[in-house]
Short mmCIF file of all heavy atoms in Angstrom, two decimals:
data_model
loop_
_atom_site.label_atom_id
_atom_site.label_comp_id
_atom_site.label_asym_id
_atom_site.label_seq_id
_atom_site.Cartn_x
_atom_site.Cartn_y
_atom_site.Cartn_z
N GLU A 235 3.21 236.01 130.96
CA GLU A 235 4.12 235.45 131.96
C GLU A 235 5.60 235.39 131.55
O GLU A 235 5.85 235.33 130.32
CB GLU A 235 3.70 234.01 132.28
CG GLU A 235 4.52 233.34 133.35
CD GLU A 235 4.21 231.91 133.58
OE1 GLU A 235 3.59 231.27 132.66
OE2 GLU A 235 4.48 231.34 134.67
N ALA A 236 6.45 235.52 132.45
CA ALA A 236 7.89 235.39 132.15
C ALA A 236 8.46 234.24 132.98
O ALA A 236 8.07 234.04 134.15
CB ALA A 236 8.65 236.67 132.54
N ILE A 237 9.31 233.43 132.37
CA ILE A 237 10.03 232.37 132.98
C ILE A 237 11.51 232.68 132.99
O ILE A 237 12.07 232.99 131.97
CB ILE A 237 9.83 231.02 132.24
CG1 ILE A 237 8.35 230.71 132.06
CG2 ILE A 237 10.58 229.83 132.87
CD1 ILE A 237 7.62 230.22 133.25
N PHE A 238 12.18 232.58 134.16
CA PHE A 238 13.61 232.82 134.24
C PHE A 238 14.23 231.57 134.87
O PHE A 238 13.84 231.14 135.94
CB PHE A 238 13.92 234.01 135.10
CG PHE A 238 15.43 234.32 135.19
CD1 PHE A 238 16.10 234.72 134.03
CD2 PHE A 238 16.05 234.23 136.40
CE1 PHE A 238 17.43 234.99 134.12
CE2 PHE A 238 17.48 234.53 136.42
CZ PHE A 238 18.14 234.87 135.30
N ILE A 239 15.19 230.95 134.18
CA ILE A 239 15.84 229.71 134.58
C ILE A 239 17.37 230.00 134.67
O ILE A 239 18.01 230.41 133.73
CB ILE A 239 15.62 228.57 133.65
CG1 ILE A 239 14.10 228.35 133.38
CG2 ILE A 239 16.26 227.30 134.13
CD1 ILE A 239 13.73 227.43 132.22
N THR A 240 17.90 229.82 135.84
CA THR A 240 19.37 230.05 136.05
C THR A 240 20.19 228.99 135.37
O THR A 240 19.65 227.95 135.01
CB THR A 240 19.73 230.10 137.55
OG1 THR A 240 19.60 228.78 138.05
CG2 THR A 240 18.75 231.05 138.32
N GLN A 241 21.48 229.26 135.25
CA GLN A 241 22.37 228.33 134.61
C GLN A 241 22.44 227.01 135.41
O GLN A 241 22.81 225.94 134.90
CB GLN A 241 23.77 228.89 134.40
CG GLN A 241 23.77 230.09 133.47
CD GLN A 241 25.19 230.67 133.31
OE1 GLN A 241 25.71 230.63 132.16
NE2 GLN A 241 25.75 231.13 134.36
N ASN A 242 22.08 227.06 136.73
CA ASN A 242 22.08 225.89 137.57
C ASN A 242 20.78 225.10 137.56
O ASN A 242 20.52 224.15 138.29
CB ASN A 242 22.45 226.30 139.04
CG ASN A 242 23.85 226.78 139.09
OD1 ASN A 242 24.76 226.33 138.44
ND2 ASN A 242 24.05 227.84 139.96
N GLY A 243 19.80 225.61 136.77
CA GLY A 243 18.58 224.89 136.59
C GLY A 243 17.43 225.26 137.63
O GLY A 243 16.46 224.53 137.76
N GLU A 244 17.63 226.45 138.27
CA GLU A 244 16.54 226.90 139.17
C GLU A 244 15.54 227.71 138.35
O GLU A 244 15.98 228.72 137.73
CB GLU A 244 17.23 227.77 140.29
CG GLU A 244 18.16 226.96 141.17
CD GLU A 244 18.90 227.86 142.08
OE1 GLU A 244 18.68 229.10 142.08
OE2 GLU A 244 19.75 227.34 142.86
N MET A 245 14.25 227.41 138.48
CA MET A 245 13.28 228.03 137.66
C MET A 245 12.42 229.04 138.49
O MET A 245 11.97 228.66 139.57
CB MET A 245 12.36 226.99 136.97
CG MET A 245 11.50 227.55 135.88
SD MET A 245 9.96 228.29 136.39
CE MET A 245 8.91 226.87 136.70
N TYR A 246 12.22 230.19 137.99
CA TYR A 246 11.34 231.22 138.60
C TYR A 246 10.33 231.65 137.55
O TYR A 246 10.65 231.75 136.37
CB TYR A 246 12.20 232.39 139.08
CG TYR A 246 13.30 232.06 140.05
CD1 TYR A 246 14.56 231.67 139.59
CD2 TYR A 246 13.06 232.17 141.42
CE1 TYR A 246 15.57 231.38 140.44
CE2 TYR A 246 14.12 231.83 142.32
CZ TYR A 246 15.34 231.40 141.82
OH TYR A 246 16.36 231.12 142.70
N SER A 247 9.17 232.08 138.01
CA SER A 247 8.14 232.57 137.10
C SER A 247 7.33 233.66 137.78
O SER A 247 7.23 233.68 139.00
CB SER A 247 7.26 231.43 136.60
OG SER A 247 6.49 230.96 137.65
#
Side-chain angles (χ1 to χ4, degrees):
E235 182 185 22
I237 305 286
F238 183 65
I239 304 169
T240 70
Q241 294 183 120
N242 295 322
E244 298 171 1
M245 194 277 281
Y246 303 86
S247 66

